């Protein structure tokens, strides 16, 4: 790989760059129409200069009077969209002008219930890179177009209606960017988008495993594949694992030009069958390559022109990187998708060679809540006042009607773009997602870093989650872990290594362990494929689209815990 040519972030803003950042915020498109309306009314009432003064006063009032908000403030209003019947006069202009383009369902990483956000049609030029067109070439783009439900809003005359989906944020953004309105589904389900290996119909498959396998089938049939798009690194891992499991079935299908009999294909079979043709020569190539997942760079043997894969691989998803690199070899570019939340797009990729370095977006207003201060609006810091090396919680005001909404993400300011002064962010962890045991609180980053530290004895970890292990007293942290291979030869030392790392990062944990009111952490090894099976289970249980399900670092759901326990194959 070539070294990055992106200039490193600078540590502090010059006066000129500070003014640029401040100006971009105050001229944000979120406020532009509102400010023009205020200015217009001000001009009509007094002299022509009053509007400008009023604009500045309005911006200052926003900074000093709008409080921090959480989802609880929006939930009663969002619920109006789900009422039956949904009346036009109750939901029009509710969060932003008009009606939403879709309702975004969060992926509920924390294990809590899902949240729903109204997302409106954004003006041309608004950037949200669900699929990155800049890489070019034939692409396997793993995205879902399925919906949890469709909202039908009765028009004011009771005869007309407007329909829009309740779906994953990635699903709705793809629809919005590509003009794939839900009314066009009956037409577009027959199509294959330019440079895509998979027909559109594949994205209408609900069964998680079959959804990935059908994307895999059409990708395997095309030796010219250059780019693989998945939302998260974990989805990429599931895709490869399913290819390995169904290798012979997939290759036979390519040879004969027949669709396999996977579950959940009946409703799209008529659209997919015309898209697959007998290809004995490609099948012979694949059989010669064979299942060689133990060999580094197996995927490059399948697709010699593969040059990149794009996914979210920061934070906890970074744990997947060694396994991804094993499958891809050293020369395939692994690129970040950016800093994405269900509510909005927080940051673009700053350095393509750094998977956890993001340039804050200008499409929405991003403010920063100092984590060392009281959790009030008075502790908010504007983009031109943040300090490199300090940590903040991200707070956003969006064009979709969220005002100073707390995302719950902690970022560290890595510096500033030397070209325009924009803050450069590093994702650290989710805020308030921690285990509190015996009076001490342990963050998800501390839990993850401790397991990273124990990998040299335990073995390469692919994925994990943590529970409160109360099988015996005192209670303790219980790690449920899936390994890349078998446990390491010195795995009996892993628990001691885990305890040591937790003590080094958290004084409260060290004290409670030393006095015996917190027990030593436990480690249970899960059978291979457990986390991909878990995602499949959760997708089917929640009736959401495939591709955006995440496993929380701390798993509280008793049903999910029991599901995991049934797949334990060893305890250290």
């Amino acid at each position: 790989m070539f070294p990055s040519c992106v200039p490193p972030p600078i540590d502090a803003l010059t006066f000129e760059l500070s003014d640029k950042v401040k100006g971009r915020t105050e001229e944000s498109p979120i406020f532009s129409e509102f400010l023009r309306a205020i200015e217009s009314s001000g001009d009509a009432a007094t002299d022509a200069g009053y509007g400008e003064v009023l604009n500045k006063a309005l911006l200052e009032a926003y900074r000093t009077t709008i409080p921090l908000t959480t989802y609880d403030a929006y939930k009663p209003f969002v619920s109006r969209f789900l009422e039956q019947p949904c009346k036009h006069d109750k939901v029009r202009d509710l969060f932003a002008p008009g009606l939403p383009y879709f309702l975004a369902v969060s992926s509920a990483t924390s294990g809590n219930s899902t949240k729903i956000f109204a997302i409106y049609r954004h003006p041309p030029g608004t950037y949200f890179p669900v699929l990155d067109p800049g890489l070019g070439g034939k692409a396997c783009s793993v995205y879902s177009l399925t919906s949890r439900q469709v909202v039908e809003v009765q028009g004011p005359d009771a005869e007309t209606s407007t329909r829009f989906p309740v779906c994953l944020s990635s699903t709705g953004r793809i629809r919005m960017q590509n003009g794939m309105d839900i009314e066009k589904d009956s037409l577009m389900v027959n199509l294959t988008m330019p440079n895509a290996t998979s027909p559109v119909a594949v994205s209408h498959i609900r069964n998680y495993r079959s959804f990935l396998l059908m994307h895999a089938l059409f990708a395997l049939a095309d030796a010219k594949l250059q780019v693989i798009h998945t939302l998260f690194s974990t989805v990429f891992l599931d895709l490869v694992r399913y290819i390995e499991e169904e290798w012979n079935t997939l290759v036979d299908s390519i040879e004969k030009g027949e669709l396999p009999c996977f579950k959940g294909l009946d409703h799209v079979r008529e659209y997919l069958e015309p898209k697959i043709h007998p290809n004995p020569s490609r099948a012979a190539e694949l059989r010669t390559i064979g299942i060689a997942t133990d060999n580094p760079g197996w995927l490059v043997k399948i697709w010699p022109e593969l040059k990149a894969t794009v996914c979210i691989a920061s934070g906890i998803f970074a744990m997947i990187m060694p396994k991804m690199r094993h499958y891809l070899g050293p020369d395939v570019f692994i690129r970040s998708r950016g800093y994405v939340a269900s509510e909005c797009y927080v940051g673009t990729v700053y350095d393509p060679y750094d998977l956890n370095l993001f340039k804050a977006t200008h499409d929405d207003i991003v403010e920063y809540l100092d984590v060392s201060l009281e959790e009030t609006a008075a502790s908010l810091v504007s983009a031109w006042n943040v300090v490199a090396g300090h940590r903040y919680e991200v707070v956003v005001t969006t064009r979709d009607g969220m005002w100073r909404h707390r995302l719950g993400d902690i970022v560290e300011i890595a510096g500033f773009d030397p070209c325009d002064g924009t803050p450069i962010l590093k994702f650290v962890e989710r805020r308030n997602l921690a285990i509190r045991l015996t009076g001490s609180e342990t963050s998800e980053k501390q839990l993850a870093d401790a397991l990273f530290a124990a990998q040299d004895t335990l073995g390469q970890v692919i994925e994990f989650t943590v529970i409160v292990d109360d099988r015996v007293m005192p209670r303790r942290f219980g790690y449920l872990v899936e390994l890349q291979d078998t446990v390491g030869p010195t795995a009996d030392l892993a628990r001691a290594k885990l305890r040591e790392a937790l003590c080094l990062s958290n004084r409260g944990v060290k004290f409670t362990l030393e006095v015996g009111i917190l027990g030593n952490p436990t480690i249970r090894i899960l059978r291979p494929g457990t986390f991909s099976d878990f995602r499949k289970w959760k997708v089917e249980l929640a009736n959401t689209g495939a591709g955006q399900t995440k496993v929380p670092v701390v798993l509280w759901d008793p049903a999910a815990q029991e599901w995991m326990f049934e797949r334990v194959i060893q305890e250290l």
Side-chain angles (χ1 to χ4, degrees):
M1 300 297 291
F2 295 103
S4 174
C5 60
V6 176
I10 57 176
D11 292 333
L13 290 174
T14 63
F15 288 117
E16 292 79 8
L17 287 176
S18 179
D19 285 342
K20 280 187 177 182
V21 178
K22 186 175 182 181
R24 277 197 305 271
T25 301
E26 295 184 346
E27 296 166 11
S28 168
I30 293 176
F31 294 136
S32 59
E33 293 297 328
F34 188 35
L35 292 177
R36 276 196 288 271
I38 293 294
E39 184 174 357
S40 176
S41 64
D43 289 347
T46 56
D47 60 277
Y50 180 67
E52 181 179 353
V53 174
L54 191 58
N55 287 351
K56 293 181 179 179
L58 178 64
L59 288 169
E60 184 60 27
Y62 165 79
R63 294 191 184 103
T64 57
T65 63
I66 301 296
L68 298 176
T69 63
T70 63
Y71 181 68
D72 288 343
Y74 303 92
K75 185 176 180 179
F77 300 96
V78 172
S79 65
R80 294 185 190 179
F81 290 108
L82 305 179
E83 294 175 355
Q84 294 294 332
C86 180
K87 296 290 190 179
H88 184 271
D89 59 353
K90 290 185 111 178
V91 295
R92 181 172 178 82
D93 304 333
L94 191 58
F95 293 104
L99 294 173
Y101 185 80
F102 69 99
L103 297 183
V105 181
S106 74
S107 51
T109 314
S110 64
N112 299 322
S113 59
T114 58
K115 300 173 183 177
I116 298 177
F117 306 97
I119 306 296
Y120 292 73
R121 189 184 292 274
H122 293 177
T126 305
Y127 187 58
F128 196 99
V130 180
L131 302 177
D132 190 338
L135 292 170
K138 272 296 186 75
C140 173
S141 300
V142 181
Y143 64 90
S144 171
L145 291 177
T146 61
S147 304
R148 180 163 144 178
Q149 69 184 86
V150 175
V151 172
E152 184 165 335
V153 180
Q154 289 187 359
D157 58 3
E159 293 182 3
T160 60
S161 64
T162 301
R163 301 170 72 246
F164 51 83
V166 182
C167 58
L168 299 176
S169 178
S170 55
T171 298
R173 307 275 181 180
I174 287 170
R175 284 185 176 276
M176 186 156 52
Q177 281 191 338
N178 294 281
M180 304 173 78
D181 301 351
I182 197 166
E183 292 82 4
K184 300 177 182 177
D185 279 356
S186 60
L187 171 65
M188 302 201 74
V189 76
N190 291 286
L191 305 179
T192 301
M193 302 300 282
N195 290 329
T197 55
S198 300
V200 171
V202 173
S203 295
H204 287 275
I205 299 171
R206 288 187 176 275
N207 182 284
Y208 181 66
R209 191 172 190 273
S210 298
F211 164 78
L212 291 183
L213 281 169
M214 292 308 296
H215 276 296
L217 173 65
F218 286 96
L220 287 171
D222 195 331
K224 300 292 187 180
L225 181 72
Q226 293 183 288
V227 185
I228 299 174
H229 290 271
T230 64
L231 191 60
F232 299 114
S233 58
T234 49
V235 178
F236 175 90
L237 190 65
D238 293 346
L239 178 72
V240 177
R241 181 172 284 136
Y242 290 153
I243 289 175
E244 182 180 9
E245 291 176 1
E246 297 287 352
W247 177 261
N248 292 330
T249 301
L250 294 169
V251 174
D252 287 347
S253 293
I254 292 169
E255 179 181 39
K256 299 173 184 176
E258 298 176 355
L259 286 181
C261 295
F262 296 138
K263 293 180 179 178
L265 301 187
D266 290 347
H267 67 297
V268 294
R269 185 170 290 275
E270 64 178 296
Y271 308 109
L272 294 178
E273 284 179 339
K275 303 289 186 179
I276 186 167
H277 309 285
N279 194 340
S281 61
R282 176 58 176 163
E285 289 177 6
L286 293 171
R287 287 197 178 98
T288 300
I289 296 167
I291 304 174
T293 49
D294 291 339
N295 298 332
W298 179 54
L299 295 184
V300 179
K301 295 180 176 65
I302 295 173
W303 297 295
E305 296 184 27
L306 185 63
K307 63 181 180 181
T309 184
V310 185
C311 60
I312 295 172
S314 55
I316 197 63
F317 297 105
M319 190 166 277
I320 308 295
M321 289 300 296
K323 190 68 172 179
M324 288 186 67
R325 183 52 67 196
H326 171 81
Y327 286 136
L328 295 167
D331 298 324
V332 176
F333 186 18
I334 301 177
R335 178 166 176 169
S336 171
R337 188 169 299 285
Y339 187 167
V340 183
S342 294
E343 298 90 329
C344 66
Y345 186 58
V346 181
T348 60
V349 174
Y350 180 69
D351 183 347
Y353 291 88
D354 191 322
L355 292 168
N356 193 25
L357 209 58
F358 310 104
K359 181 175 178 177
T361 184
H362 302 147
D363 287 331
D364 294 301
I365 302 298
V366 180
E367 295 179 283
Y368 303 87
L369 181 62
D370 192 325
V371 297
S372 66
L373 301 178
E374 185 181 2
E375 297 179 35
T376 66
S379 302
L380 282 172
V381 180
S382 298
W384 56 91
N385 288 324
V386 293
V387 178
H390 286 215
R391 292 185 176 183
Y392 303 87
E393 179 184 346
V394 177
V395 176
V396 295
T397 297
T398 73
R399 64 180 68 248
D400 297 303
M402 308 201 81
W403 292 76
R404 286 190 161 173
H405 173 67
R406 300 179 63 173
L407 287 186
D409 288 352
I410 302 297
V411 298
E412 181 177 310
I413 305 300
F416 306 89
D417 186 336
C419 298
D420 62 10
T422 301
I424 307 301
L425 316 177
K426 284 186 177 181
F427 178 83
V428 177
E429 62 183 331
R430 293 282 292 163
R431 188 169 196 171
N432 299 326
L433 289 186
I435 291 181
R436 179 179 289 277
L437 282 178
T438 61
S440 64
E441 188 174 273
T442 309
S443 72
E444 67 170 30
K445 187 175 189 304
Q446 290 170 337
L447 294 169
D449 287 350
L451 188 59
F452 279 134
Q455 281 190 110
D456 58 342
T457 57
L458 177 60
Q460 180 65 53
V461 175
I462 297 178
E463 295 185 70
F464 78 99
T465 190
V466 182
I467 64 163
V468 175
D469 189 345
D470 56 4
R471 290 174 293 173
V472 296
M473 291 293 137
R475 295 185 298 171
R476 57 202 70 212
F477 301 118
Y479 282 78
L480 303 173
V481 177
E482 184 178 336
L483 298 177
Q484 179 169 321
D485 301 302
T486 56
V487 295
T490 57
D492 55 326
L493 303 176
R495 290 182 64 196
K497 199 81 178 275
L498 198 57
R499 171 187 168 123
E500 178 185 2
L502 287 168
C503 289
L504 285 172
S505 66
N506 191 310
R507 292 181 180 179
V509 169
K510 180 180 180 182
F511 173 77
T512 52
L513 279 166
E514 288 176 346
V515 299
I517 58 177
L518 180 67
N520 286 328
T522 59
I523 302 174
R524 283 178 270 187
I525 309 299
L526 302 170
R527 75 186 185 204
T530 291
F531 283 88
S532 61
D533 289 346
F534 181 84
R535 283 184 282 275
K536 176 179 179 294
W537 177 63
K538 291 294 286 184
V539 166
E540 293 171 356
L541 198 65
N543 190 31
T544 58
Q548 196 173 310
T549 300
K550 297 176 279 186
V551 182
V553 174
V554 180
L555 187 63
W556 295 105
D557 180 10
Q561 290 181 8
E562 289 298 325
W563 190 97
M564 289 281 185
F565 297 156
E566 293 172 359
R567 289 153 179 80
V568 173
I569 58 174
Q570 181 181 354
E571 180 163 4
L572 302 182

